[in-house]
CSV table of all heavy atoms in Angstrom, one decimal:
chain,number,residue,atom,x,y,z
A,248,SER,N,176.6,125.5,75.9
A,248,SER,CA,176.6,126.2,74.7
A,248,SER,C,177.9,126.2,74.1
A,248,SER,O,178.1,126.0,72.8
A,248,SER,CB,176.3,127.6,75.1
A,248,SER,OG,174.8,127.8,75.5
A,249,TYR,N,178.9,126.4,74.8
A,249,TYR,CA,180.3,126.3,74.3
A,249,TYR,C,180.6,124.9,73.8
A,249,TYR,O,181.2,124.9,72.6
A,249,TYR,CB,181.4,126.5,75.4
A,249,TYR,CG,182.8,125.8,75.0
A,249,TYR,CD1,183.5,126.4,74.1
A,249,TYR,CD2,183.1,124.7,75.7
A,249,TYR,CE1,184.7,125.9,73.6
A,249,TYR,CE2,184.4,124.1,75.1
A,249,TYR,CZ,185.2,124.6,74.2
A,249,TYR,OH,186.2,124.0,73.8
A,250,LEU,N,180.2,123.8,74.3
A,250,LEU,CA,180.5,122.5,73.9
A,250,LEU,C,179.9,122.2,72.6
A,250,LEU,O,180.5,121.7,71.6
A,250,LEU,CB,180.1,121.4,75.0
A,250,LEU,CG,181.0,121.4,76.2
A,250,LEU,CD1,180.4,120.6,77.2
A,250,LEU,CD2,182.4,120.9,75.9
A,251,VAL,N,178.5,122.6,72.3
A,251,VAL,CA,178.0,122.4,71.1
A,251,VAL,C,178.5,123.2,70.0
A,251,VAL,O,178.7,122.9,68.8
A,251,VAL,CB,176.4,122.4,71.2
A,251,VAL,CG1,175.8,121.5,72.1
A,251,VAL,CG2,176.0,123.9,71.6
A,252,GLU,N,178.9,124.5,70.4
A,252,GLU,CA,179.6,125.4,69.4
A,252,GLU,C,180.9,124.8,69.0
A,252,GLU,O,181.4,124.9,67.8
A,252,GLU,CB,179.8,126.8,70.0
A,252,GLU,CG,178.4,127.5,70.1
A,252,GLU,CD,178.6,128.8,70.8
A,252,GLU,OE1,179.8,129.2,71.0
A,252,GLU,OE2,177.5,129.6,71.1
A,253,SER,N,181.6,124.3,70.0
A,253,SER,CA,183.0,123.7,69.6
A,253,SER,C,182.9,122.6,68.6
A,253,SER,O,183.8,122.5,67.8
A,253,SER,CB,183.8,123.3,70.9
A,253,SER,OG,183.0,122.2,71.5
A,254,ILE,N,181.7,121.7,68.8
A,254,ILE,CA,181.6,120.7,67.8
A,254,ILE,C,181.4,121.2,66.4
A,254,ILE,O,181.9,120.7,65.5
A,254,ILE,CB,180.3,119.8,68.3
A,254,ILE,CG1,180.8,119.1,69.5
A,254,ILE,CG2,180.0,118.8,67.2
A,254,ILE,CD1,179.4,118.5,70.1
A,255,ARG,N,180.6,122.2,66.3
A,255,ARG,CA,180.4,122.9,64.9
A,255,ARG,C,181.5,123.5,64.4
A,255,ARG,O,181.6,123.6,63.2
A,255,ARG,CB,179.2,123.9,65.2
A,255,ARG,CG,178.7,124.5,63.8
A,255,ARG,CD,178.0,123.4,63.0
A,255,ARG,NE,177.6,123.8,61.8
A,255,ARG,CZ,178.4,124.1,60.6
A,255,ARG,NH1,179.6,123.8,60.7
A,255,ARG,NH2,177.8,124.6,59.5
A,256,LYS,N,182.5,123.9,65.1
A,256,LYS,CA,183.7,124.6,64.6
A,256,LYS,C,184.8,123.4,64.3
A,256,LYS,O,185.7,123.7,63.5
A,256,LYS,CB,184.3,125.5,65.6
A,256,LYS,CG,183.4,126.8,65.7
A,256,LYS,CD,183.4,127.6,64.5
A,256,LYS,CE,184.8,128.4,64.3
A,256,LYS,NZ,184.7,129.3,63.2
A,257,PHE,N,184.7,122.3,64.9
A,257,PHE,CA,185.9,121.4,64.8
A,257,PHE,C,186.1,120.9,63.2
A,257,PHE,O,184.9,120.8,62.5
A,257,PHE,CB,185.5,120.1,65.6
A,257,PHE,CG,186.7,119.2,65.7
A,257,PHE,CD1,187.9,119.5,66.3
A,257,PHE,CD2,186.4,117.9,65.2
A,257,PHE,CE1,188.9,118.6,66.3
A,257,PHE,CE2,187.6,116.9,65.2
A,257,PHE,CZ,188.7,117.3,65.9
A,258,PRO,N,187.2,120.7,62.7
A,258,PRO,CA,187.3,120.2,61.3
A,258,PRO,C,186.4,118.9,61.1
A,258,PRO,O,186.4,118.0,61.9
A,258,PRO,CB,188.8,119.9,61.2
A,258,PRO,CG,189.5,120.7,62.3
A,258,PRO,CD,188.4,120.7,63.4
A,259,ASN,N,186.1,118.7,59.9
A,259,ASN,CA,185.3,117.5,59.5
A,259,ASN,C,186.2,116.4,59.4
A,259,ASN,O,187.5,116.5,59.5
A,259,ASN,CB,184.5,117.8,58.3
A,259,ASN,CG,185.3,118.0,57.0
A,259,ASN,OD1,186.5,117.6,56.9
A,259,ASN,ND2,184.8,118.5,55.9
A,260,GLN,N,185.7,115.3,59.1
A,260,GLN,CA,186.4,114.0,59.2
A,260,GLN,C,187.7,114.1,58.2
A,260,GLN,O,188.9,113.6,58.6
A,260,GLN,CB,185.5,112.8,58.7
A,260,GLN,CG,184.5,112.4,59.8
A,260,GLN,CD,183.1,113.2,59.6
A,260,GLN,OE1,183.2,114.4,59.1
A,260,GLN,NE2,182.0,112.7,59.9
A,261,GLN,N,187.5,114.4,57.0
A,261,GLN,CA,188.5,114.5,56.1
A,261,GLN,C,189.7,115.4,56.5
A,261,GLN,O,190.9,115.1,56.3
A,261,GLN,CB,188.1,114.8,54.6
A,261,GLN,CG,187.2,113.8,54.0
A,261,GLN,CD,185.8,113.8,54.6
A,261,GLN,OE1,185.3,114.8,55.2
A,261,GLN,NE2,185.0,112.7,54.2
A,262,ASN,N,189.3,116.6,57.0
A,262,ASN,CA,190.3,117.6,57.4
A,262,ASN,C,191.0,117.1,58.6
A,262,ASN,O,192.3,117.4,58.8
A,262,ASN,CB,189.6,118.9,57.6
A,262,ASN,CG,189.4,119.7,56.3
A,262,ASN,OD1,190.4,119.8,55.5
A,262,ASN,ND2,188.3,120.4,56.2
A,263,PHE,N,190.3,116.5,59.5
A,263,PHE,CA,191.1,116.0,60.7
A,263,PHE,C,192.0,114.8,60.4
A,263,PHE,O,193.2,114.8,60.9
A,263,PHE,CB,190.1,115.6,61.8
A,263,PHE,CG,190.8,115.2,63.0
A,263,PHE,CD1,191.6,116.1,63.7
A,263,PHE,CD2,190.4,114.0,63.8
A,263,PHE,CE1,192.2,115.8,64.8
A,263,PHE,CE2,191.0,113.6,65.0
A,263,PHE,CZ,191.9,114.5,65.5
A,264,ALA,N,191.6,114.0,59.4
A,264,ALA,CA,192.4,112.9,59.0
A,264,ALA,C,193.7,113.5,58.4
A,264,ALA,O,194.8,112.9,58.5
A,264,ALA,CB,191.6,112.0,58.0
A,265,ALA,N,193.5,114.6,57.6
A,265,ALA,CA,194.7,115.3,57.1
A,265,ALA,C,195.7,115.8,58.0
A,265,ALA,O,196.9,115.6,58.0
A,265,ALA,CB,194.3,116.4,56.1
A,266,MET,N,195.2,116.3,59.1
A,266,MET,CA,196.0,116.7,60.2
A,266,MET,C,196.7,115.6,61.0
A,266,MET,O,198.0,115.7,61.3
A,266,MET,CB,195.1,117.5,61.3
A,266,MET,CG,194.6,118.7,60.8
A,266,MET,SD,193.4,119.6,62.0
A,266,MET,CE,194.8,120.3,63.2
A,267,ILE,N,196.1,114.5,61.0
A,267,ILE,CA,196.8,113.4,61.7
A,267,ILE,C,197.9,112.9,60.8
A,267,ILE,O,199.0,112.5,61.3
A,267,ILE,CB,195.8,112.2,61.9
A,267,ILE,CG1,194.6,112.7,63.0
A,267,ILE,CG2,196.4,110.9,62.4
A,267,ILE,CD1,193.5,111.7,63.1
A,268,SER,N,197.7,112.7,59.5
A,268,SER,CA,198.6,112.4,58.6
A,268,SER,C,199.8,113.3,58.6
A,268,SER,O,201.0,112.9,58.5
A,268,SER,CB,198.1,112.4,57.1
A,268,SER,OG,197.1,111.2,57.1
A,269,ARG,N,199.5,114.7,58.6
A,269,ARG,CA,200.6,115.7,58.7
A,269,ARG,C,201.5,115.5,59.8
A,269,ARG,O,202.7,115.9,60.0
A,269,ARG,CB,199.9,117.1,58.6
A,269,ARG,CG,200.9,118.1,58.4
A,269,ARG,CD,200.2,119.4,58.4
A,269,ARG,NE,199.2,119.5,57.3
A,269,ARG,CZ,198.2,120.4,57.1
A,269,ARG,NH1,198.0,121.2,58.2
A,269,ARG,NH2,197.4,120.3,56.2
A,270,ALA,N,200.9,115.0,61.0
A,270,ALA,CA,201.6,114.7,62.2
A,270,ALA,C,202.7,113.6,62.0
A,270,ALA,O,203.5,113.4,63.0
A,270,ALA,CB,200.8,114.6,63.4
A,271,GLY,N,202.5,112.9,61.0
A,271,GLY,CA,203.5,111.7,60.7
A,271,GLY,C,202.9,110.3,60.8
A,271,GLY,O,203.5,109.4,60.5
A,272,PHE,N,201.6,110.3,61.2
A,272,PHE,CA,200.9,108.9,61.2
A,272,PHE,C,200.7,108.3,59.9
A,272,PHE,O,200.4,109.0,58.9
A,272,PHE,CB,199.7,109.1,62.0
A,272,PHE,CG,199.9,109.3,63.5
A,272,PHE,CD1,199.7,110.7,64.0
A,272,PHE,CD2,200.2,108.3,64.3
A,272,PHE,CE1,200.0,110.8,65.3
A,272,PHE,CE2,200.2,108.5,65.7
A,272,PHE,CZ,200.2,109.9,66.2
A,273,ASP,N,200.6,107.0,59.8
A,273,ASP,CA,200.4,106.3,58.6
A,273,ASP,C,199.1,105.6,58.7
A,273,ASP,O,198.6,105.3,59.9
A,273,ASP,CB,201.6,105.3,58.3
A,273,ASP,CG,202.8,106.0,57.9
A,273,ASP,OD1,202.8,106.6,56.8
A,273,ASP,OD2,203.8,105.9,58.6
A,274,ARG,N,198.7,105.0,57.5
A,274,ARG,CA,197.5,104.2,57.5
A,274,ARG,C,196.2,105.0,58.3
A,274,ARG,O,195.5,104.3,59.1
A,274,ARG,CB,197.6,102.8,58.2
A,274,ARG,CG,198.6,101.9,57.2
A,274,ARG,CD,199.0,100.7,58.0
A,274,ARG,NE,198.0,99.9,58.6
A,274,ARG,CZ,198.1,98.8,59.3
A,274,ARG,NH1,199.4,98.5,59.6
A,274,ARG,NH2,197.1,98.2,59.7
A,275,VAL,N,196.2,106.2,58.0
A,275,VAL,CA,195.1,106.9,58.8
A,275,VAL,C,193.7,106.6,58.1
A,275,VAL,O,193.6,106.7,57.0
A,275,VAL,CB,195.4,108.5,58.6
A,275,VAL,CG1,194.3,109.3,59.2
A,275,VAL,CG2,196.7,108.8,59.2
A,276,SER,N,192.9,106.3,59.0
A,276,SER,CA,191.4,106.0,58.6
A,276,SER,C,190.4,106.5,59.6
A,276,SER,O,190.8,106.9,60.7
A,276,SER,CB,191.2,104.6,58.2
A,276,SER,OG,191.4,103.8,59.5
A,277,PHE,N,189.2,106.5,59.2
A,277,PHE,CA,188.1,106.9,60.2
A,277,PHE,C,186.8,106.1,60.0
A,277,PHE,O,186.6,105.7,58.9
A,277,PHE,CB,187.9,108.5,60.3
A,277,PHE,CG,187.3,108.9,59.0
A,277,PHE,CD1,185.9,109.0,58.8
A,277,PHE,CD2,188.0,109.5,58.1
A,277,PHE,CE1,185.4,109.4,57.8
A,277,PHE,CE2,187.5,110.0,56.9
A,277,PHE,CZ,186.2,110.0,56.7
A,278,ARG,N,186.1,105.9,61.1
A,278,ARG,CA,184.7,105.4,61.0
A,278,ARG,C,183.7,106.3,61.5
A,278,ARG,O,183.9,106.9,62.5
A,278,ARG,CB,184.6,104.0,61.9
A,278,ARG,CG,185.6,102.9,61.3
A,278,ARG,CD,185.7,101.7,62.3
A,278,ARG,NE,186.5,100.6,61.9
A,278,ARG,CZ,186.6,99.5,62.5
A,278,ARG,NH1,186.0,99.4,63.7
A,278,ARG,NH2,187.5,98.5,62.0
A,279,ASN,N,182.6,106.4,60.9
A,279,ASN,CA,181.6,107.3,61.3
A,279,ASN,C,180.5,106.5,62.2
A,279,ASN,O,180.3,105.3,61.9
A,279,ASN,CB,180.8,107.9,60.2
A,279,ASN,CG,181.5,109.1,59.6
A,279,ASN,OD1,182.2,109.7,60.2
A,279,ASN,ND2,181.1,109.4,58.4
Side-chain angles (χ1 to χ4, degrees):
S248 294
Y249 157 71
L250 290 166
V251 296
E252 289 175 7
S253 67
I254 292 170
R255 187 63 181 80
K256 291 291 288 183
F257 188 69
N259 67 18
Q260 291 88 329
Q261 292 79 12
N262 278 318
F263 186 49
M266 295 179 75
I267 297 170
S268 295
R269 190 178 301 157
F272 290 98
D273 290 298
R274 292 167 54 188
V275 175
S276 62
F277 64 85
R278 296 175 177 178
N279 279 339

